[in-house]
Amino acid sequence: MARLEVDKYEPLHKEFVHKPIVFVVDMINGFCKEGALADEAIMDIVPAQKEMMNILGGHNVAVCDFHSNKSREFKFFPPHCEMGTKEPMIIDELKENIDTYMFKDSTNAFVTTEFMEFWNEYEDEFEDVIIIGCCTDICIMQFALTLNAFFNEMGDEKHRVIVPADCVDTYNTGVVHDAYKYNDFALSTMFANGVTVVKNII
């Protein structure tokens, strides 16, 4: 479960999830196990992620941070998830659940060429887009809000964006970036902007 002071969301039963696709964002070594931006506590959400994917039995896409050593993002964040290292690789615990891989050089999966090509080809096969992983207030929130805004712009009534709170988390550095506060802020912001935020999918 995302580190929260108060859990204020309701569970969603699987029978109310329709033709799901799951985007597993940045559950990679560089954020979960090693490197400048890793927080090992994020590993605590892995059992819930695996259980949810097994319950739904849908298509699961791993979205992995993947940077060259000249990435523009390194002006704002310390070097991380560089090609040629183990950091951009999906954690071993989730490999068996993944059907498709995508790679991104920014914090927002929506703007990648790979995502748009995939979506344009397969969008008719899916209805509910479920986003899980880390970090709740950065990559998860940016992807969820942009995707939901895209559906709004297109007048798309078919697709829904869902974020289960038990399958996302963010990093914790105490005063500078308190995981409890940032999880609450991100989930509340997504909920207020039309994303379906739920406690879990059961």
Side-chain angles (χ1 to χ4, degrees):
M1 173 68 72
R3 283 167 277 191
L4 293 166
E5 295 289 353
V6 178
D7 176 18
K8 52 192 175 185
Y9 304 101
E10 298 297 324
L12 176 64
H13 291 270
K14 65 178 182 180
E15 57 263 34
F16 298 111
V17 178
H18 306 289
K19 297 174 67 174
I21 182 169
V22 179
F23 286 93
V24 185
V25 178
D26 285 338
M27 292 302 295
I28 55 179
N29 293 323
F31 292 123
C32 300
K33 294 187 176 182
E34 60 185 70
L37 296 183
D39 181 347
E40 293 183 4
I42 289 171
M43 289 293 294
D44 291 345
I45 63 175
V46 172
Q49 293 175 331
K50 290 181 70 68
E51 181 178 2
M52 186 206 70
M53 286 187 277
N54 289 335
I55 286 173
L56 294 178
H59 192 93
N60 305 316
V61 180
V63 182
C64 306
D65 231 32
F66 188 73
H67 303 294
S68 74
N69 59 11
K70 296 182 179 178
S71 174
R72 184 178 183 274
E73 193 173 288
F74 294 168
K75 294 180 179 180
F76 319 107
F77 297 101
H80 60 281
C81 303
E82 293 185 61
M83 60 181 66
T85 72
K86 293 181 179 180
E87 290 188 26
M89 299 171 62
I90 193 81
I91 57 174
D92 289 339
E93 292 82 353
L94 292 179
K95 283 182 178 178
E96 66 180 8
N97 297 96
I98 301 303
D99 302 299
T100 302
Y101 286 85
M102 294 180 186
F103 300 90
K104 61 184 177 69
D105 193 19
S106 74
T107 52
N108 191 341
F110 183 88
V111 302
T112 66
T113 301
E114 287 184 69
F115 171 74
M116 290 309 303
E117 288 177 348
F118 178 89
W119 189 254
N120 288 336
E121 184 171 355
Y122 296 107
E123 64 174 301
D124 291 337
E125 297 185 16
F126 309 110
E127 292 185 16
D128 285 334
V129 181
I130 300 163
I131 303 174
I132 65 176
C134 71
C135 293
T136 318
D137 56 311
I138 305 174
C139 299
I140 299 297
M141 185 167 69
Q142 289 183 17
F143 186 24
L145 291 180
T146 310
L147 185 57
N148 201 57
F150 173 73
F151 292 154
N152 290 344
E153 182 68 25
M154 295 296 104
D156 186 338
E157 300 283 355
K158 175 181 177 181
H159 295 101
R160 175 173 58 161
V161 181
I162 302 172
V163 175
D166 70 328
C167 291
V168 297
D169 202 1
T170 194
Y171 67 95
N172 185 65
T173 58
V175 175
V176 175
H177 191 275
D178 181 276
Y180 291 89
K181 292 179 181 178
Y182 278 85
N183 276 321
D184 181 59
F185 164 77
L187 292 168
S188 297
T189 299
M190 287 186 280
F191 182 82
N193 283 276
V195 173
T196 302
V197 179
V198 299
K199 179 177 182 177
N200 54 7
I201 296 175
I202 56 176

